[in-house]
Amino acid sequence: MSRTWTIGPEAVGGEDAVALQRAYLDEVVTRYYGRPATREEVDEEFAGTSATELTPPRGLFLVARGGVDGANGEDREEQRRAGAPAGCAGVRLLGPRTAEPQAGELGIGELGAAELDAAELAALERKFAELAAPEPKLAEPEFAEFAAPELKLAEPEFAEFAEFATPELKIAEPKIAELTRVWVRPEARRGGLGSRLLTAAEHAAASLGAKAIRLDTRSDLVEARRLYARHGYAEIPPYKDDPYSEHFFEKRLG
């Protein structure tokens, strides 16, 4: 049987989203220390995550779910696996001048699945439906409602003062997004899901108004660095201080 994938935004504090992030952190910590990660180490890393940064309008958290073409009632195991969470990717806007993640107020442990309104989540899922496998469509920028509105220099009733408006008041710097927590379950690897998650994340960043997307990674994560290079990411100088980051990449969007 062949496998297809659906990729869409989900509440970062939802049960499946949390499970995926903890599994990602477990693997990253394990590879860093060369031994199995402890629960305390995973808890510590997870506690430092800001849910606000991965929630609209400042970010999005994408979850990939697997489906099995041709699955039927006779194949119970395949049916069970159909729709199971298989991977994830997060996108967050960086501060306009610091190139650092914007300060968050809530940790993921404090933000449950209910924080993302059901109707809002359904709308997000519909907009991401076209990114379902096998070939995600490169559609028009989505999630326009979450993009920061342009600064208006004069309300209609004050139109006579428009000549005194200064263009310098506009934020000239393009928005930059950061890619984070890109991960695929081991059993779902080597099937192109990583590339599809990356493509979906880039569209999510563009929908948030970003003109470029950045990321950082470690030297030992060779597979990730190869994936980014194949997708047009160029290595750049460090854009933030992080003792665990050794390589920094950027890709222009649009």
Side-chain angles (χ1 to χ4, degrees):
M1 294 181 181
S2 61
R3 182 172 291 275
T4 60
W5 308 102
T6 59
I7 300 173
E10 297 192 15
V12 69
E15 181 179 354
D16 287 340
V18 169
L20 285 168
Q21 292 175 83
R22 291 187 64 88
Y24 156 80
L25 291 171
D26 186 280
E27 180 173 342
V28 169
V29 173
T30 294
R31 293 183 63 167
Y32 182 78
Y33 288 112
R35 58 161 174 78
T38 66
R39 182 179 181 85
E40 291 72 21
E41 288 170 336
V42 174
D43 288 344
E44 182 179 358
E45 292 296 325
F46 187 71
T49 301
S50 168
T52 309
E53 290 179 355
L54 297 177
T55 301
R58 289 164 61 173
L60 287 168
F61 189 76
L62 307 178
V63 172
R65 294 182 178 276
V68 180
D69 294 340
N72 54 58
E74 297 177 357
D75 195 335
R76 295 182 180 178
E77 176 62 18
E78 290 297 333
Q79 286 282 11
R80 183 187 68 79
R81 292 168 56 191
C88 60
V91 176
R92 59 188 178 191
L93 291 176
L94 298 178
R97 297 189 181 278
T98 63
E100 291 282 355
Q102 300 186 49
E105 295 81 19
L106 295 175
I108 289 180
E110 302 172 275
L111 181 65
E115 290 294 324
L116 194 59
D117 180 81
E120 183 181 19
L121 182 58
L124 293 176
E125 290 173 342
R126 286 196 299 272
K127 291 181 178 181
F128 251 85
E130 63 204 59
L131 293 174
E135 289 295 332
K137 296 180 181 179
L138 306 184
E140 292 295 323
E142 304 137 325
F143 302 99
E145 63 268 33
F146 298 125
E150 293 184 3
L151 180 63
K152 295 182 180 180
L153 300 182
E155 294 295 329
E157 59 266 34
F158 300 115
E160 64 269 24
F161 298 107
E163 64 183 283
F164 301 111
T166 57
E168 288 74 20
L169 290 177
K170 292 184 178 180
I171 299 176
E173 297 181 24
K175 288 184 180 179
I176 298 176
E178 184 176 51
L179 184 66
T180 183
R181 309 213 162 176
V182 181
W183 187 75
V184 175
R185 290 192 180 280
E187 62 270 23
R189 294 173 186 174
R190 301 185 182 280
L193 181 54
S195 292
R196 289 172 181 171
L197 271 168
L198 193 54
T199 297
E202 291 169 1
H203 280 278
S207 76
L208 294 170
K211 301 302 181 183
I213 187 168
R214 292 177 175 176
L215 62 95
D216 63 273
T217 188
R218 300 198 317 248
S219 294
D220 61 304
L221 301 178
V222 179
E223 310 94 319
R225 288 161 52 202
R226 288 175 179 167
L227 174 67
Y228 302 137
R230 288 199 307 269
H231 280 259
Y233 287 76
E235 194 150 2
I236 60 173
Y239 60 88
K240 65 179 182 179
D241 293 325
D242 188 329
Y244 301 109
S245 300
E246 298 164 308
H247 297 272
F248 300 81
F249 293 86
E250 181 179 281
K251 179 179 179 178
R252 307 299 297 179
L253 301 175

